[in-house]
Amino acid sequence: RWSPDGAFLAALGRDRDFGANPAVFVVPAAGGTLQQLTPFVEDKNGLEWHPNGDRLTYHVRGSQGHTQQAFLDGRPPSTLFDAPDIWDGTGAWAPDGHRFFFIGDGTLYAYDETSGESVLVEDPDFTVKNPPRWSRDGKTMVWLRSKVSGTQSWMMEHALPTTATQFSMP
């Protein structure tokens, strides 16, 4: 993954014996030293940059799955959130840098970093296929969802209300 400013590349990688879980790595895009941000513990996926480029977010898979963050400044990784009532999964940051939209139990949720709350965004009768993506201006969000009848692309304009609790179901 490219950092928002294009200065770094980030990836999940394993050690040489491929027996360990992946770690988060970054390297300057212009070349330089590879920096390991997390240890080779816990199975990780869904690596995403925070919009300000100071950290990366990833999902720790397993029965106790949660969302972690790794920092470029050398701070140890920490839990961004753990939604114990929701089987939380991969996600993507909103352009505002305050909300992390994630797939939980196959449904789309938004975690608001300011309030610490997670709210339902998508109709739970559908299965969300991927984390949302935003238009260049950051005002429109798109995602895929499916039901027995097939897969659909959905779009929400003005997708970033001032608080997470102001979401209305599409």
Side-chain angles (χ1 to χ4, degrees), residues 124-146:
D125 289 338
F126 289 85
T127 300
V128 176
K129 294 292 193 181
N130 62 330
R133 297 294 177 212
W134 281 264
S135 60
R136 287 186 190 261
D137 65 7
K139 294 179 181 177
T140 304
M141 179 174 79
V142 296
W143 68 96
L144 294 177
R145 72 180 199 177
S146 68

Side-chain angles (χ1 to χ4, degrees), residues 15-150:
D15 63 4
R16 285 182 169 70
D17 69 10
F18 294 100
N21 289 309
V24 177
F25 292 90
V26 294
V27 65
T33 305
L34 185 67
Q35 180 183 2
Q36 185 176 341
L37 302 181
T38 66
F40 291 108
V41 296
E42 302 174 316
D43 192 11
K44 303 167 189 71
N45 71 337
L47 190 62
E48 292 287 333
W49 283 95
H50 186 275
N52 71 13
D54 71 340
R55 58 186 154 145
L56 290 133
T57 307
Y58 56 94
H59 176 67
V60 174
R61 295 194 277 196
S63 61
Q64 300 299 316
H66 56 282
T67 301
Q68 292 266 116
Q69 52 193 352
F71 300 91
L72 268 65
D73 64 8
R75 283 182 278 168
S78 66
T79 299
L80 175 65
F81 70 91
D82 184 6
D85 297 334
I86 305 166
W87 180 272
D88 50 306
T90 61
W93 282 101
D96 69 0
H98 297 289
R99 292 170 193 89
F100 185 78
F101 287 75
F102 67 97
I103 300 170
D105 298 327
T107 303
L108 187 61
Y109 289 84
Y111 169 75
D112 185 314
E113 190 172 31
T114 306
S115 70
E117 296 178 22
S118 294
V119 296
L120 181 68
V121 176
E122 173 63 278
D123 184 339
D125 289 338
F126 289 85
T127 300
V128 176
K129 294 292 193 181
N130 62 330
R133 297 294 177 212
W134 281 264
S135 60
R136 287 186 190 261
D137 65 7
K139 294 179 181 177
T140 304
M141 179 174 79
V142 296
W143 68 96
L144 294 177
R145 72 180 199 177
S146 68
K147 205 170 184 175
V148 175
S149 59

